[in-house]
């Protein structure tokens, strides 16, 4: 699609002069620049301006109202039709958005860019499948150990992805751990303690943020802080409790205990969170001959899964070390190494291939096979961008693997916000996702390319990524239905615990969901420590209007922190009128399209209603029980950890504004490895 500078006052001129079927605004613009506009054109111009301003304020209902008034004057204006679709999309009404975009596209407007947007949004609505794990993987890019004749690393055995999109590579041969970004630039290089690492194999991040390295030749573990600084050694060479001989891979359970595959001792060693040896297991038991060559390990709930390269099998134990079963038949694998948890399954590296093993059935699905290429894949792990990062020891490379349809479909780029209040300095926010609504995290300035009126913008800078924010705004919704109010003490406990976990950061809102929602509190979270339901204004009702409460909560969060979430506290029961005003799909897409997380704290043990389950499942939400052993502090932590593909950049515009009356077009392209995406938008400078 080709856009150029155009005055909002002249929007209709092109359509009245024979260019309604052209995707370009440039054609014929100059020859009609002196044309006297009609009153309808003037009125439409002003309403369009107001709609644009409302859109960038996050007032999408107001924007829709203004665009409707603009269309009442110029019903066939394709630019207004497109923006009407944009406003409906952000308001969560994707069906309406598609109707307006399709009308503009049928008029010959928008080209392939608009067609692609229609296709992506329509595909999301039809399939609704964000997590299809049974798809073949293809290479989306990679990081070679030697680049332009210079050695970057040698003998990669493990990869640890971080939530900010960076990744750590364990280099066995060069005794180093490197941190690199998505563009392959080395950010950090760790050599360990004074004596250095001694053949590091695996690297995991612990729940407290620290990292743990297994050193095969050193017969020990090294504890590092979150940035890679050495803290201490754990374990020593030997055969007793707390001893190791050739440790391979490691995992951590929900209680902070560390499990290590001890290849030399043919067992699993277990350490407490402080690094003290607790016990070991893996010897002969009834129905089990004992481990022969333990390599990969994963802890999922109460189960410990261990790969054995000698038997070609994966065994399941409980956390105490009692043998449960063979997950797969012996000799299923030739040389299994690391195993990682992924969508209720295990990703297993097996010599020159990567497979998926269902932890319920043991069914095996092959993701990829390197064929006859010299390779030995040792670790394959999912990253924050839903790729699979693969360490190839013999190939001396780390590959980024993606689902085939993601690679061919490219990136879905959206210009979410443009602030021109300090024109000619303009600040933009850009959201980058894959085709399944999952955010792309870890981009840098070099991944963006900006143009105005198709001319490159040289003077722009990268301000930051929302993924790096360390706090979030939270809105708690309290269900005021009679059934939920039976759990008064539980609700009060949940509110206090979530507020305390915010540690005084961000803004906390409290909304009571009655027949109509009421905002009960806005302010710092530490000022609600004495919360009591007796102080809530909204009366108790038979059935709470959950939809109105969620909608109000989302409205308030749109202009809040870039990390934000709704926490709904209820017994989990929904009545016939709980979702009478807004349907579940529109509520879910409203939160998704505005990067708002959704969490549900259940204060009862009754079966959850299907309405709440639907929202949780379709917003990547999470369900928590109020009296779970680990408490509710993770509710806030999980909101902060939610990946965000929102980026803020700034540039200096060179376009003339005509005293603020011109609609100024802006285009953004995003490139990442072998994928790219594009969006076009526009804005108005302040009136002069």
């Amino acid at each position: 699609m080709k856009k150029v500078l155009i005055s909002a006052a002249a929007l209709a001129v092109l359509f009245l002069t024979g260019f309604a079927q052209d995707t370009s605004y440039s054609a014929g613009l100059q020859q009609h620049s002196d044309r006297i506009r009609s009153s309808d054109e003037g009125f439409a111009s002003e309403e369009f301006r107001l709609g644009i301003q409302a859109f960038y304020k996050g007032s999408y209902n107001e924007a829709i109202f203004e665009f409707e008034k603009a269309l009442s004057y110029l019903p066939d204006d394709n630019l207004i039709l497109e923006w009407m679709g944009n406003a409906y999309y952000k308001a969560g009404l994707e069906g309406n958005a598609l109707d307006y975009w399709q009308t503009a596209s049928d008029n010959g407007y928008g080209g392939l860019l608009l067609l692609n947007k229609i296709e992506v949004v329509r595909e999301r609505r039809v399939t609704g499948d964000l997590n299809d794990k049974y798809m073949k993987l293809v290479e989306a890019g990679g990081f070679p150990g030697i680049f332009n004749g210079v050695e970057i690393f040698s003998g990669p055995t493990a990869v640890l992805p971080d939530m900010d999109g960076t990744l750590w590579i364990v280099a066995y041969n060069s005794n180093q751990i490197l941190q690199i970004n998505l563009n392959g630039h080395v950010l950090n290089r760790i050599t360990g303690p004074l004596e250095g690492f001694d053949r590091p194999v695996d690297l995991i991040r612990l729940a407290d943020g620290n990292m743990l390295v297994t050193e095969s030749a050193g017969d020990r573990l090294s504890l590092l802080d979150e940035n890679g600084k050495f803290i201490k050694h754990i374990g020593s060479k030997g055969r007793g409790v707390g001893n190791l001989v050739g440790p391979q891979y490691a995992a951590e359970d929900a209680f902070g205990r560390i499990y290590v595959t001890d290849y030399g001792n043919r067992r699993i060693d277990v350490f407490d969170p402080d690094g003290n040896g607790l016990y070991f297991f893996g010897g002969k038991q009834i129905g089990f001959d004992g481990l022969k060559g333990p390599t990969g390990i994963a802890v999922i709930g109460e189960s410990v899964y261990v790969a054995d390269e000698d038997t070609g099998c994966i065994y399941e134990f409980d956390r105490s070390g009692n043998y449960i079963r063979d997950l797969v038949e012996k000799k299923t694998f030739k040389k299994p190494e690391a195993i990682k948890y992924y969508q209720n399954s295990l990703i297993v590296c097996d010599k020159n291939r990567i497979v998926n093993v269902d932890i319920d059935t043991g069914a095996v699905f092959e993701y990829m096979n390197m064929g006859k290429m010299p390779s030995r894949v040792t670790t394959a792990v999912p990253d924050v961008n839903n790729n699979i990062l693969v360490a190839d020891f013999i190939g001396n490379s780390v590959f980024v693997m993606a689902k085939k349809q993601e690679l061919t479909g490219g990136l879905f780029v959206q210009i979410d916000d443009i602030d021109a209040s300090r024109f000619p300095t303009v600040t933009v926010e850009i959201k980058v996702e894959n085709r399944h609504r999952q955010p792309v995290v870890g981009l840098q300035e070099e991944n963006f390319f900006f143009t105005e009126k198709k001319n490159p913008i040289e003077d722009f800078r990268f301000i930051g990524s929302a993924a790096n924010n360390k706090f979030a705004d939270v809105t708690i919704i309290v269900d005021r239905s009679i059934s939920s109010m039976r759990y008064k003490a539980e609700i009060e406990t949940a509110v206090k615990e979530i507020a305390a976990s915010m540690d005084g950061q961000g803004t906390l809102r409290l909304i009571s969901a009655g027949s109509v929602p009421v905002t009960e509190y806005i302010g710092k979270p530490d000022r609600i420590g004495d919360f009591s339901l007796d102080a809530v204004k909204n009366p108790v009702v038979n059935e709470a209007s959950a939809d109105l409460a969620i909608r109000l909560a989302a409205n308030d969060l749109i202009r809040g922190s870039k990390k934000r979430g709704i926490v709904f506290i209820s017994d989990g029961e929904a009545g016939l009128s709980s979702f009478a005003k807004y349907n579940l799909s529109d509520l879910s897409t409203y939160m998704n399209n505005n990067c708002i997380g959704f969490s549900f704290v259940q204060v009862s043990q009754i079966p959850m209603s299907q309405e709440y389950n639907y929202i949780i499942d379709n917003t990547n939400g999470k369900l928590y029980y109020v009296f779970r052993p680990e408490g509710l502090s993770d509710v806030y932590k999980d909101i902060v950890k939610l990946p965000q593909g929102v980026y803020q950049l700034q540039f200096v515009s060179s376009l003339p504004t005509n005293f603020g009356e011109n609609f100024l077009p802006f285009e953004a392209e995003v490139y990442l490895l072998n994928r790219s995406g594009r969006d076009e938008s526009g804005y108005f400078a302040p009136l002069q």
Side-chain angles (χ1 to χ4, degrees):
M1 183 171 83
K2 185 178 180 184
K3 281 187 186 175
V4 298
L5 177 65
I6 182 169
S7 167
L11 285 173
V13 173
L14 304 181
F15 301 99
L16 296 175
T17 53
F19 296 101
Q21 301 302 314
D22 200 334
T23 62
S24 169
Y25 281 107
S26 60
L29 181 60
Q30 294 301 320
Q31 73 182 82
H32 296 286
S33 60
D34 296 327
R35 181 185 181 280
I36 299 176
R37 67 182 182 181
S38 69
S39 59
D40 283 352
E41 295 164 4
F43 291 138
S45 169
E46 182 58 26
E47 301 300 345
F48 180 69
R49 162 190 285 283
L50 294 174
I52 295 290
Q53 292 173 340
F55 182 90
Y56 287 137
K57 288 190 302 183
S59 302
Y60 303 122
N61 290 338
E62 180 184 347
I64 291 170
F65 178 69
E66 296 297 343
F67 292 142
E68 282 179 342
K69 290 198 290 185
L71 286 173
S72 70
Y73 296 108
L74 298 174
D76 297 323
D77 190 302
N78 289 324
L79 183 60
I80 303 176
L81 288 170
E82 181 190 20
W83 275 92
M84 178 70 91
N86 294 345
Y88 271 117
Y89 175 81
K90 294 293 285 185
L93 305 175
E94 291 183 341
N96 299 74
L98 288 169
D99 289 341
Y100 281 99
W101 289 336
Q102 190 64 59
T103 299
S105 180
D106 291 343
N107 290 339
Y109 172 90
L112 292 176
L113 184 62
L114 184 56
L115 284 173
N116 180 69
K117 180 158 64 173
I118 292 170
E119 177 189 348
V120 170
V121 175
R122 185 170 288 148
E123 180 182 284
R124 289 174 174 179
R125 289 168 56 81
V126 171
T127 64
D129 187 1
L130 302 181
N131 297 309
D132 188 352
K133 60 186 178 184
Y134 299 117
M135 288 186 180
K136 289 289 186 179
L137 298 177
V138 294
E139 185 179 343
F143 310 105
I146 298 176
F147 184 72
N148 288 337
V150 178
E151 182 179 282
I152 310 300
F153 55 83
S154 177
T157 53
V159 186
L160 172 66
D162 266 344
M163 296 302 294
D164 63 358
T166 61
L167 56 141
W168 299 82
I169 299 173
V170 178
Y172 180 89
N173 291 339
S174 50
N175 287 318
Q176 293 179 334
I177 296 174
L178 297 84
Q179 184 187 27
I180 66 174
N181 65 18
L182 287 183
N183 299 304
H185 301 311
V186 177
L187 307 177
N188 203 351
R189 192 182 293 270
I190 309 299
T191 56
L194 289 177
E195 67 272 25
F197 292 126
D198 196 352
R199 300 304 182 187
V201 174
D202 194 18
L203 177 69
I204 64 171
R205 189 172 292 280
L206 303 175
D208 61 6
N210 290 332
M211 296 187 290
L212 189 73
V213 186
T214 63
E215 297 183 58
S216 178
D219 301 317
R220 67 194 181 193
L221 314 175
S222 284
L223 184 66
L224 314 177
D225 71 10
E226 62 181 3
N227 298 313
K229 183 179 179 181
F230 176 78
I231 298 176
K232 67 176 182 179
H233 288 306
I234 294 175
S236 59
K237 185 173 183 177
R239 299 194 178 278
V241 173
N243 295 146
L244 301 152
V245 178
Q248 298 286 300
Y249 295 92
E252 182 187 27
D253 70 13
F255 299 95
R257 285 181 291 194
I258 299 163
Y259 300 72
V260 183
T261 53
D262 188 336
Y263 191 86
N265 285 321
R266 298 185 178 185
R267 69 190 190 192
I268 306 301
D269 295 305
V270 184
F271 298 84
D272 70 14
D274 295 322
N276 302 309
L278 290 177
Y279 56 93
F280 56 81
F281 64 87
K284 286 187 177 182
Q285 300 179 32
I286 297 176
F288 178 60
D289 292 336
L291 295 171
K292 308 300 182 184
T295 50
I297 187 168
V299 181
I300 306 170
E302 297 297 317
S303 296
V304 180
Y305 297 90
V306 181
D308 193 310
E309 71 169 17
D310 185 74
T311 62
C313 189
I314 295 177
Y315 303 108
E316 181 181 356
F317 302 86
D318 65 22
R319 288 191 293 108
S320 296
N322 298 305
Y323 169 76
I324 297 176
R325 62 168 174 159
D326 293 5
L327 180 61
V328 297
E329 293 183 359
K330 292 180 176 61
K331 301 302 180 182
T332 296
F333 304 108
K334 296 179 180 178
K335 191 177 178 60
E337 299 216 30
I339 57 177
K340 301 293 182 180
Y341 179 68
Y342 179 60
Q343 296 179 6
N344 202 45
S345 61
L346 298 173
I347 301 178
V348 183
C349 290
D350 183 32
K351 197 174 180 179
N352 67 339
R353 64 180 187 142
I354 301 171
V355 301
N356 176 294
V357 179
D358 189 284
I359 62 175
D360 293 326
T361 65
V364 176
F365 172 81
E366 187 174 88
Y367 276 136
M368 59 161 285
N369 193 313
M370 305 290 282
K372 297 182 179 180
M373 181 184 301
S375 65
R376 178 185 167 190
V377 291
T378 52
T379 298
V381 58
D383 71 357
V384 67
N385 292 323
N386 207 40
N387 300 313
I388 303 295
L389 305 178
V390 181
D392 185 346
F393 183 80
I394 292 179
N396 197 33
S397 295
V398 171
F399 297 105
V400 180
M401 312 299 294
K403 295 169 185 174
K404 186 174 181 180
Q405 71 176 63
E406 292 297 341
L407 190 60
T408 57
L411 303 173
F412 189 56
V413 178
Q414 301 162 72
I415 301 171
D416 264 5
D417 190 18
I418 301 180
D419 179 6
S421 59
R422 295 186 296 118
F423 190 86
T425 299
V426 180
T427 302
V428 299
E429 285 185 3
I430 298 177
K431 181 163 67 174
V432 185
E433 299 174 323
N434 65 16
R435 293 177 68 89
H436 288 108
R437 215 192 293 273
Q438 294 158 327
V440 175
V441 176
L443 301 179
Q444 301 296 320
E445 182 174 312
E446 62 194 280
N447 299 110
F448 295 87
F449 180 71
F450 291 166
T451 56
E452 286 183 309
K453 199 177 179 180
K454 305 301 187 230
N455 296 316
I457 298 174
E458 303 294 341
D459 186 12
F460 77 90
R461 66 185 182 92
F462 185 88
I463 297 177
S465 167
N468 297 328
N469 288 9
K470 302 300 183 183
F471 68 92
D473 287 350
V474 174
T475 297
I476 296 176
I477 300 175
V478 174
D479 186 346
R480 292 288 283 170
S481 65
I482 292 175
S483 61
S484 286
M485 286 302 102
R486 294 198 298 264
Y487 304 92
K488 177 183 176 184
E490 289 85 348
I491 292 175
E492 291 175 344
T493 297
V495 171
K496 292 175 184 178
E497 198 168 341
I498 294 168
S501 68
M502 295 177 68
D503 198 24
Q505 296 182 304
T507 299
L508 176 66
R509 293 174 175 84
L510 181 70
I511 291 176
S512 56
S515 57
V516 294
V518 174
T519 301
E520 306 282 353
Y521 175 81
I522 302 176
K524 290 293 183 181
D526 50 6
R527 295 180 183 175
I528 202 172
D530 58 350
F531 171 75
S532 171
L533 283 171
D534 294 335
V536 172
K537 305 170 187 176
N538 216 355
V540 176
V541 294
N542 289 327
E543 294 180 357
S545 296
D547 54 354
L548 295 180
I550 294 173
R551 190 79 186 186
L552 174 61
N555 289 344
D556 291 340
L557 286 170
I558 284 175
R559 300 307 294 180
S561 169
K562 297 307 172 187
K563 286 193 173 181
R564 55 241 185 163
I566 296 170
V567 181
F568 202 106
I569 304 177
S570 169
D571 65 341
E573 183 178 333
L576 294 175
S577 62
S578 295
F579 294 93
K581 303 294 192 302
Y582 292 93
N583 66 52
L584 299 172
S585 176
D586 290 345
L587 287 172
S588 300
T589 55
Y590 188 39
M591 288 184 280
N592 287 331
N593 293 346
N594 291 284
C595 302
I596 298 172
F598 183 82
S599 307
F600 196 99
V601 176
Q602 189 172 16
V603 295
S604 74
Q605 293 181 310
I606 65 174
M608 175 77 72
S609 73
Q610 60 181 2
E611 290 87 352
Y612 291 126
N613 273 326
Y614 177 93
I615 296 175
I616 293 169
D617 293 342
N618 286 274
T619 57
N620 289 321
K622 196 169 181 180
L623 173 64
Y624 307 82
Y625 177 58
V626 68
F627 285 134
R628 64 187 197 141
E630 57 269 49
L632 293 175
S633 61
D634 285 349
V635 176
Y636 178 69
K637 292 178 183 177
D638 289 345
I639 292 173
V640 174
K641 288 179 182 177
L642 282 174
Q644 291 280 10
V646 178
Y647 302 86
Q648 192 174 75
L649 301 100
Q650 197 172 81
F651 68 92
V652 177
S653 175
S654 61
L655 296 180
T657 69
N658 190 25
F659 303 103
E661 291 189 1
N662 284 353
F663 178 71
L664 308 179
F666 169 74
E667 305 90 35
E669 296 182 36
V670 179
Y671 301 91
L672 175 62
L673 300 174
N674 294 333
R675 287 186 284 178
S676 64
R678 175 182 174 83
D679 192 22
E680 298 186 0
S681 188
Y683 61 96
F684 288 94
L687 287 171
Q688 298 177 11

